[in-house]
Amino acid sequence: MSITPLMPVYPRCGVRPVRGEHCHLISEDGRRFLDFASGIGVNALGHSHPGLIGAIQKQAETLMHVSNLYGSPQGEAIARRLVDLTFADTVFFTNSGAEAVECAIKTARAYHQSAGNEHKYELITFNNAFHGRTLATISASSQEKMHKGFLPLLPGFRYVDFNDLEAAKAAIGPNTAGFLVEPIQGEGGIRIATDAFLQGLRALCDEHELMLVLDEVQSGVGRAGTFYAYEQYGVEPDIMATAKGIGGGFPVGACLATEKAARGMVAGSHGSTYGGNPFAMAAVGAVLDVIPDEAFLADVRAKGERIKARLEQFIGNYPDLFELVRGRGLFIGLKMKVEPRPFVAHMRDNHQLLTVSAGDNVVRIVPPLVIDDSHIDEFMEKLSAAAASYQPEEVV
Ligand SMILES: *Cc1c(COP(=O)(O)O)cnc(C)c1O
C-alpha cells in the first residue's frame, strides 16, 4: 500500500504547525513562523484569540449541536446581526465556502424557476474565478485543472473575461439567470473588479431581471477593508456567499439574500445537517463582535495602505523579481516576474514567513486582520532578507 492515509490531493509542504500564537505559528519541530497566510484568509482574528476561544469553550459546555428541525435562538440572533450589517434580508448557514456558493447558485436558479421560468438556469461566471471544489462550484469555474478527471461538469455555466463588461453583456441569452462574480478574485491573483464592471453588471441585472450573485468567501469579513468588498462599489448584490473569515477558523459559511432573491427558497427546498449549529454560531458571534466595527475596519485599511506603500518602495530594489503591488485592505497581491511558488517556498523554509501563491504570478499577502506595526516590520524584514538571498530558477 503506497497511498497515504490522508488522501494525497494536497502537495503539502514541510511545515507542520501544532500551535498558534496571535500572528505566529509554531511547528512540530519548534520553528516559529510569521503567518501572513492566515489559513488562506481564514484566521481573521489570528490564532488563539481570547474572544473566539471563550465563545467556543462556553458553547461547547452548553450546547454544541441540535438539528435544524428545532428552533434556533443562536442562529436567529446571528442571522439578524448579518441582516443588519449587510444588504441581505435572510441568511442560510453552511459549513464551508463551496456550500455557501452552492446555496447561492440554487437560490438564483430557484428565483427564476419559482416564477415558472424553468429555462433561466444559466449563470455567467468569469475566467480565473474560484468558487470551491464541489461539482457545481468547479463547473462554475473556467479553470480546466479543476475539471480534469471529474467530468461531466454540471450544465448551466458560461465563462467570459473578468472586468470585460461588453463580453458579459453579450453573453446574456434566454437561459441567463444571473452573474456569479468575486468582486476581488482571490485564487485568481487579487484581481480587482473595476467600479465600471461591477456597477455595469448591477445595471445589466436590473435591466434584464437577473440575479447579481457575489462570491465574497475570500474578499469579505473585513479582508478588503470594509465589512464586505461590495460596499466599496456602491452596488448591492441580490445574493452573496461568505465563509473563510466569518468563523475565524471555525468551519462555517453563509448564503445571504434579499427577500426578493430568496423567493424560491421555501420550506423543504434546501438544508444542511450541521449548517448554523450553536457551535458555529458562537464562533461567528465572536468574529462579529470585532470585525464590523468601523474603527477596526478603518485600521485594517490603514495597515493595508502601510504595507502597500512599503512594498511599493521595496520592489524598486528588485526590478527583475517583482512587477507590482495591488489589493485592498489586507487582501494584497505582490505580482512577480518569476514563478511565485518557489519564492513562497523560499520565504517559508529559509525565512519563516508564510504567504500563499495565487494565479497571475502573484504572492498573496493575507495576514490576520489583527496585525500591528511590529508584524508589518517583521514581515518587511523577512521579505527583504528572502529577496536578497533568492536565486530564481527561471524567468517567466
Ligand atoms: C475559498 C473559496 C471558496 C471555497 O471555500 P471552501 O470553504 O474551501 O469550500 C469559494 N470561493 C472563493 C472566492 C474562495 O476563496
Side-chain angles (χ1 to χ4, degrees):
M1 189 99 54
S2 68
I3 193 164
T4 48
L6 266 183
M7 194 181 275
V9 293
Y10 277 103
R12 291 170 188 272
C13 72
V15 178
R16 299 165 63 81
V18 288
R19 202 148 48 85
E21 286 176 5
H22 195 40
C23 300
H24 291 86
L25 281 177
I26 292 93
S27 65
E28 203 174 42
D29 58 11
R31 282 181 298 162
R32 190 178 168 83
F33 294 83
L34 179 66
D35 187 7
F36 270 40
S38 310
I40 317 193
V42 167
N43 304 98
L45 301 181
H47 305 279
S48 65
H49 185 276
L52 185 57
I53 294 173
I56 289 174
Q57 275 178 344
K58 187 160 159 243
Q59 195 60 51
E61 288 163 4
T62 314
L63 178 68
M64 277 205 241
H65 176 80
V66 293
S67 165
N68 282 313
L69 296 173
Y70 305 108
S72 174
Q74 306 86 2
E76 283 167 11
I78 298 299
R80 160 61 59 196
R81 289 174 77 178
L82 285 172
V83 163
D84 288 345
L85 287 162
T86 66
F87 75 97
D89 302 314
T90 190
V91 182
F92 181 87
F93 289 108
T94 68
N95 312 293
S96 68
E99 285 171 277
V101 178
E102 287 267 349
C103 179
I105 294 167
K106 287 178 76 173
T107 304
R109 286 187 173 189
Y111 171 78
H112 294 290
Q113 293 184 25
S114 66
N117 293 316
E118 272 80 19
H119 60 288
K120 286 185 172 283
Y121 57 82
E122 191 175 74
L123 285 171
I124 297 168
T125 69
F126 298 90
N127 288 327
N128 301 304
F130 181 81
H131 298 298
R133 295 291 201 151
T134 62
L135 276 167
T137 56
I138 64 172
S139 302
S141 171
S142 64
Q143 296 191 51
E144 279 174 17
K145 64 176 189 219
M146 293 197 292
H147 301 160
K148 204 164 166 269
F150 303 118
L151 302 176
L153 297 181
L154 186 75
F157 299 96
R158 196 167 167 172
Y159 323 125
V160 302
D161 276 347
F162 187 67
N163 270 337
D164 187 341
L165 186 60
E166 284 311 309
K169 186 177 177 184
I172 296 173
N175 303 123
T176 307
F179 299 104
L180 167 61
V181 62
E182 297 159 88
I184 303 175
Q185 289 189 334
E187 305 297 315
I190 319 290
R191 281 187 255 222
I192 304 172
T194 62
D195 286 358
F197 178 62
L198 220 55
Q199 289 163 3
L201 292 183
R202 177 71 268 171
L204 287 171
C205 287
D206 294 341
E207 189 183 334
H208 298 277
E209 212 195 322
L210 305 175
M211 292 284 103
L212 181 60
V213 185
L214 293 185
D215 181 347
E216 289 232 33
V217 169
Q218 198 161 155
S219 58
V221 197
R223 176 56 56 192
T226 45
F227 189 41
Y228 284 95
Y230 73 78
E231 297 163 32
Q232 299 174 36
Y233 290 88
V235 301
E236 290 191 338
D238 302 293
I239 303 168
M240 181 179 79
T242 183
K244 291 206 163 92
I246 197 146
F250 195 94
V252 52
C255 172
L256 285 68
T258 64
E259 180 170 14
K260 182 181 174 201
R263 71 184 178 191
M265 302 304 275
V266 296
S269 62
H270 193 48
S272 167
T273 297
Y274 293 124
N277 77 12
F279 212 16
M281 294 301 94
V284 176
V287 169
L288 294 184
D289 285 345
V290 178
I291 292 179
D293 177 63
E294 192 37 54
F296 181 89
L297 292 168
D299 189 45
V300 169
R301 293 194 289 275
K303 289 182 289 197
E305 288 309 315
R306 288 206 285 282
I307 294 182
K308 273 202 294 184
R310 288 181 69 172
L311 282 174
E312 262 150 23
Q313 198 182 19
F314 159 78
I315 65 174
N317 303 331
Y318 296 95
D320 298 336
L321 223 43
F322 304 110
E323 187 171 327
L324 55 84
V325 180
R326 65 186 173 213
R328 300 254 173 100
L330 290 169
F331 200 24
I332 299 172
L334 173 58
K335 185 167 154 83
M336 298 193 70
K337 289 182 180 165
V338 297
E339 179 59 49
R341 265 177 202 80
F343 185 65
V344 166
H346 171 68
M347 288 192 284
R348 179 187 72 221
D349 296 337
N350 301 318
H351 298 276
Q352 279 85 259
L353 171 60
L354 303 178
T355 58
V356 210
S357 61
D360 198 32
N361 288 330
V362 160
V363 176
R364 238 180 310 176
I365 296 154
V366 284
L369 304 183
V370 294
I371 53 166
D372 60 35
D373 281 336
S374 76
H375 302 109
I376 299 179
D377 290 342
E378 186 182 345
F379 167 71
M380 289 308 303
E381 279 160 27
K382 287 180 186 299
L383 174 65
S384 306
S389 64
Y390 191 56
Q391 309 280 342
E393 287 146 32
E394 46 152 351
V395 175
V396 290

